[in-house]
Amino acid sequence: MGFIGSHIVDALVRDKHEVVGLDSLDETRHPDGQPGYLSAGARYVVTDLRVGLSLEALDPPEAVIHCAALGGVARAAREPGEVIDANVLGTVSLADVIRRCWRVKMAIMLSSFSVYGSGYTYKCPNCGAKRNAQRSVEQLKTGRYEVICKDCDHDTNITPITTDAPLLPLETYGATKLTQERAFTRENTRCDTRILRLSSVYGPRMQLHGAEATILGQIVGQVKKGIGPSFF
């Protein structure tokens, strides 16, 4: 029933699928309870994925799209125990029920770009040299915020991270998403299993304020309030 999951439900309903949405209605994300934007063409069940018995009582689906997680780097830093417990144990419980009770045809899990940490590579368009994202305090004090080529002092450009890049999450949320991936495997679900690592998703229904708001959400929230965001 969250930002991404609700849009997925909308799309599935438009395509004439029978959809059941599960959500714990976490008070931080849904302080007013069930949101008003939910599609009337789907059925919704309020439950916690960590409670396996509640999942077993549901009619077996043909496919599962797992979007559930407590998000936000700030919240994960403030409540690491709750975020780890919900994200990891909830995924383990769901994978277990898929394997033992549901036997679905396909299971898809939404992971995060944060599993890569800061493994960005920068390439100099002038000389072709590559380097990491480190910038010195002295450089920043001069007003040069781009990553500078050590060989020719030219500004570099970021290069895309490939799916075979090292998985080195830097914070608790990213670590829980990587652990979710490890738990949500074909071996554990016994079905065709896919994992999507999303990055910087934005659009209607995204959270604009609070600990779970992404940087894009915070910027949009500031603009809507008439506050000019600062970029560095």
Side-chain angles (χ1 to χ4, degrees), residues 19 21 49 57 80 82 101 134 138 154 156 176 203-206 221 223 229:
V19 183
L49 293 185
E82 177 63 13
C101 306
Q134 292 181 346
E138 290 74 20
H154 197 282
T156 62
T176 66
R205 306 173 193 166
M206 70 186 300
V223 171

Side-chain angles (χ1 to χ4, degrees), residues 67-203:
C67 313
L70 296 184
V73 173
R75 182 175 184 181
R78 188 180 68 246
E79 306 173 42
E82 177 63 13
V83 171
I84 292 171
D85 190 72
N87 293 0
V88 176
L89 295 187
T91 299
V92 170
S93 174
L94 177 60
D96 179 62
V97 172
I98 290 174
R99 182 184 69 253
R100 292 189 300 101
C101 306
W102 290 350
R103 300 186 181 279
V104 304
K105 296 178 181 178
M106 176 176 286
I108 299 171
M109 194 197 91
L110 303 192
S111 184
S112 168
F113 189 81
S114 63
V115 300
Y116 295 113
S118 61
Y120 302 102
T121 299
Y122 290 76
K123 183 176 181 179
C124 178
N126 185 51
C127 70
K130 293 184 179 181
R131 58 160 300 180
N132 60 25
Q134 292 181 346
R135 295 168 292 177
S136 67
V137 174
E138 290 74 20
Q139 173 195 323
L140 298 178
K141 285 181 177 179
T142 67
R144 293 190 70 181
Y145 301 111
E146 300 298 331
V147 177
I148 298 173
C149 177
K150 292 182 178 179
D151 294 341
C152 68
D153 201 46
H154 197 282
D155 288 352
T156 62
N157 298 325
I158 192 170
T159 61
I161 291 181
T162 59
T163 56
D164 59 354
L167 302 177
L168 299 169
L170 296 177
E171 30 68 35
T172 302
Y173 174 71
T176 66
K177 298 305 290 184
L178 180 55
T179 308
Q180 280 187 311
E181 291 188 13
R182 298 292 189 249
F184 207 75
T185 62
R186 186 187 301 266
E187 290 74 22
N188 289 337
T189 62
R190 297 292 194 273
C191 71
D192 187 4
T193 302
R194 312 293 175 90
I195 292 175
L196 309 179
R197 293 174 180 154
L198 308 185
S199 174
S200 302
V201 182
Y202 62 93

Side-chain angles (χ1 to χ4, degrees), residues 5-61:
S6 65
H7 285 286
I8 293 174
V9 169
D10 289 350
L12 292 172
V13 169
R14 284 196 301 269
D15 287 343
K16 310 301 182 183
H17 293 286
E18 184 179 347
V19 183
V20 178
L22 310 181
D23 200 297
S24 65
L25 289 183
D26 174 71
E27 291 184 358
T28 299
R29 182 66 181 86
H30 301 289
D32 300 320
Q34 184 166 308
Y37 54 68
L38 298 182
S39 171
R43 182 165 68 91
Y44 300 95
V45 176
V46 178
T47 187
D48 192 316
L49 293 185
R50 289 170 284 187
V51 184
L53 291 177
S54 65
L55 302 180
E56 293 178 18
L58 298 172
D59 291 334

